[in-house]
Amino acid sequence: MTHSTETREAARPGTPPRPPARAGLAETVRFMATHTLPVFVRGVASPRFGVVALYSRLNQPAWSNATLRAMRARHGGAPVLVRALSGEMLVLFDEEDIARFFAEPMDVLAMDARDKLDSLSVFEPTGVICSHGQLREDRREVNDRALAAGRDIHPDCAEYQRIVAEECRPLTAATVLGFPRLGTALARISRRIVLGDRAADDTELAGWLTTLRDQANWMGKSRPGANRALYARAEERIARYADGAPEHTLAARALSAPSPEGTDPLGQTHHWLLAIEVCAPVVIRTLLLLAAHPAEQDEVRAEIAAGTPGLPRLRACVQESLRLYPVVPDLVRVTRAETEWRGVRHPAGTTVLVPIGFHQRDPGRVPGGHLFAPGRWLVPGADLDPRTAPFSQGAGRCPGDRLGLLLSSLVCAEVLRGNRLTGARPVLDTGRPLPGIVDTAGIRLRLGRP
């Protein structure tokens, strides 16, 4: 059912409004204690790795999933209004409702929900998500041009592959690979791809951006004046690098065509830098899963050795890692017009939540939901399945999804080329459902010769 149809039905005289399904007090307390509060404590914009390690030991996602399963069962899968930290939100459980969530245009379901806007505005105040109306569309056009959105192979893939190979060379010089060294390599790759080689060693800029991301966890409530001053310093430094940056960099691509006044074509730079750095946890979790599944590792290593274009098997492994451990486990939007869900009208300004991390592992809807089965991503159309959408779908789909998959696959390939993962910590028991969260910072991989 389209929004226009729902609007006509909502306007039909004599149609009595139905009461919404609303979480009771006990449900609300449990939802806040096991789902929303842990997300905030873990870090919305920047992960607090000590908290992640604690959650891993406690298997915190199991608590959240139990809450969501109980809520879905009690309300028959209907959308449920539940109190969260910053107000009420509508939680979606039914597959048709989730598919509609992805299908709605931005003027009905927008990206800039209150908490997200408060967080991202700390380090990308002129970014796409922090924008509205035509200005958002202008900024999205610049963003899509830089990222080559929708293209499996970025036009500057050859340059990016060279950068990845150079930065990954030190990673395989030792027999043990841990997250800190991988994180350092991805940070350098990020600065070189976004701003150029001159920025590769700029750890001062990296420190400024890390501070801003950490502050974003506080939703703009902490030291706003100092954050604005630090953002201005980072913005000036980025502009200097962008001036004369090589054509293959995202900054140069953003500036390659005129954009309307006020667009700020470099305003998304902070997001690009963060997004590429986030490939580090994606890569190390993918390698951890491959270490635990030697037959799958053999398939991937054979693909790398054969030079298979696009590395489809390895790419599928990265996608499966993201399904099991999504970077963004909750997809949040806000209504810009009155909407109707299951016959219940909700006013503009309603926050809508799809707990995609929960849905992607639901064994009742996703076969082998808690298992590592990368072959599912090789089935035609799998990338458009609303049940498994780690990058979201529709108008809100991440425009850098292809570039992120490309870079993550290239880094994995460099680690595996001529090496075999012969041991890993933590040890994953593949005979049981995989844990809902892993201590990413504590992952250690042993590299051996084939």
Side-chain angles (χ1 to χ4, degrees):
M1 183 180 291
T2 65
H3 171 67
S4 58
T5 302
E6 289 160 351
T7 301
R8 289 195 298 272
E9 289 184 357
R12 186 177 299 159
T15 304
R18 289 176 52 186
R22 189 181 296 274
L25 177 59
E27 276 185 305
T28 298
V29 171
R30 189 177 178 189
F31 180 78
M32 292 183 69
T34 65
H35 191 82
T36 56
L37 185 59
V39 170
F40 177 78
V41 173
R42 184 177 59 201
V44 176
S46 178
R48 300 179 175 105
F49 285 112
V51 175
V52 173
L54 175 62
Y55 283 0
S56 177
R57 290 195 294 272
L58 298 176
N59 195 17
Q60 181 274 324
W63 309 349
S64 170
N65 290 345
T67 295
L68 294 169
R69 279 196 303 271
M71 189 178 295
R72 179 175 63 188
R74 181 171 185 266
H75 298 280
V80 180
L81 273 175
V82 60
R83 183 78 182 175
L85 294 176
S86 59
E88 279 192 329
M89 62 171 54
L90 189 67
V91 185
L92 303 185
F93 292 104
D94 183 78
E95 286 186 40
E96 290 187 9
D97 291 332
I98 295 169
R100 180 187 153 199
F101 174 91
F102 292 134
E104 291 285 18
M106 282 292 112
D107 60 351
V108 176
L109 272 180
M111 299 287 290
D112 54 343
R114 176 182 165 186
D115 287 349
K116 187 188 299 183
L117 182 61
D118 288 346
S119 176
L120 294 181
S121 61
V122 174
F123 66 91
E124 52 174 284
T126 60
V128 175
I129 295 178
C130 298
S131 310
H132 313 276
Q134 186 57 47
L135 181 59
R136 179 196 182 275
E137 298 308 310
D138 292 340
R139 287 173 171 167
R140 178 64 190 254
E141 183 177 348
V142 173
N143 187 52
D144 289 0
R145 179 172 67 240
L147 297 172
R151 298 178 62 174
D152 285 341
I153 303 299
H154 195 280
D156 292 302
C157 176
E159 287 290 341
Y160 299 164
Q161 189 165 7
R162 176 184 62 81
I163 291 170
V164 167
E166 291 173 0
E167 295 296 342
C168 287
R169 202 165 292 130
L171 296 180
T172 56
T175 58
V176 176
L177 174 60
F179 180 73
R181 284 201 300 130
L182 184 63
T184 298
L186 260 299
R188 287 179 56 85
I189 290 169
S190 177
R191 292 192 292 273
R192 292 180 67 182
I193 287 177
V194 176
L195 299 172
D197 291 354
R198 290 186 300 152
D201 297 314
D202 196 340
T203 55
E204 182 177 46
L205 174 61
W208 294 346
L209 297 179
T210 297
T211 298
L212 288 171
R213 295 165 193 165
D214 291 343
Q215 288 295 310
N217 284 339
W218 300 102
M219 312 293 186
K221 305 297 190 297
S222 171
R223 40 173 281 181
N227 291 338
R228 285 192 294 270
L230 185 57
Y231 175 84
R233 291 167 67 188
E235 187 178 35
E236 182 182 1
R237 181 76 60 87
I238 286 170
R240 291 210 306 266
Y241 286 130
D243 184 15
E247 291 183 1
H248 66 264
T249 62
L250 299 187
R253 290 178 61 86
L255 296 170
S256 63
S259 55
E261 185 177 354
T263 302
D264 187 13
L266 296 178
Q268 197 73 8
T269 306
H270 306 263
H271 194 104
W272 298 332
L273 289 164
L274 170 62
I276 296 177
E277 289 179 33
V278 166
C279 291
V282 174
V283 166
I284 204 158
R285 289 192 291 257
T286 302
L287 294 174
L288 176 69
L289 289 163
L290 287 171
H293 297 81
E296 193 65 49
Q297 186 183 163
D298 288 342
E299 293 272 358
V300 167
R301 292 186 63 256
E303 179 181 73
I304 295 168
T308 305
L311 300 173
R313 191 80 194 185
L314 179 51
R315 179 189 172 104
C317 290
V318 174
Q319 289 175 288
E320 182 70 344
S321 170
L322 282 163
R323 182 190 68 82
L324 290 164
Y325 304 106
V327 174
V328 181
D330 284 341
L331 304 178
V332 182
R333 298 191 192 170
V334 61
T335 61
R336 290 289 178 231
E338 182 183 82
T339 55
E340 186 173 314
W341 301 82
R342 298 279 195 99
V344 179
R345 302 170 194 171
H346 297 277
T350 300
T351 299
V352 185
L353 166 71
V354 172
I356 197 65
F358 164 70
H359 291 301
Q360 289 183 154
R361 277 184 170 237
D362 183 2
R365 295 180 177 177
V366 179
H370 291 293
L371 303 178
F372 181 64
R376 74 176 83 236
W377 295 99
L378 298 174
V379 176
D383 195 42
L384 300 176
D385 189 337
R387 296 173 301 173
T388 52
F391 290 105
S392 190
Q393 299 281 9
R397 187 182 179 103
C398 172
D401 59 342
R402 268 68 167 183
L403 181 56
L405 289 173
L406 171 67
L407 294 175
S408 296
S409 299
L410 290 176
V411 174
C412 287
E414 288 300 322
V415 173
L416 292 169
R417 184 173 286 111
N419 295 290
R420 182 174 183 80
L421 302 172
T422 59
R425 293 289 184 274
V427 175
L428 300 180
D429 183 353
T430 58
R432 304 179 59 186
L434 290 168
I437 189 172
V438 294
D439 177 13
T440 303
I443 294 175
R444 296 293 183 273
L445 305 167
R446 183 166 295 280
L447 305 179
R449 296 301 174 188

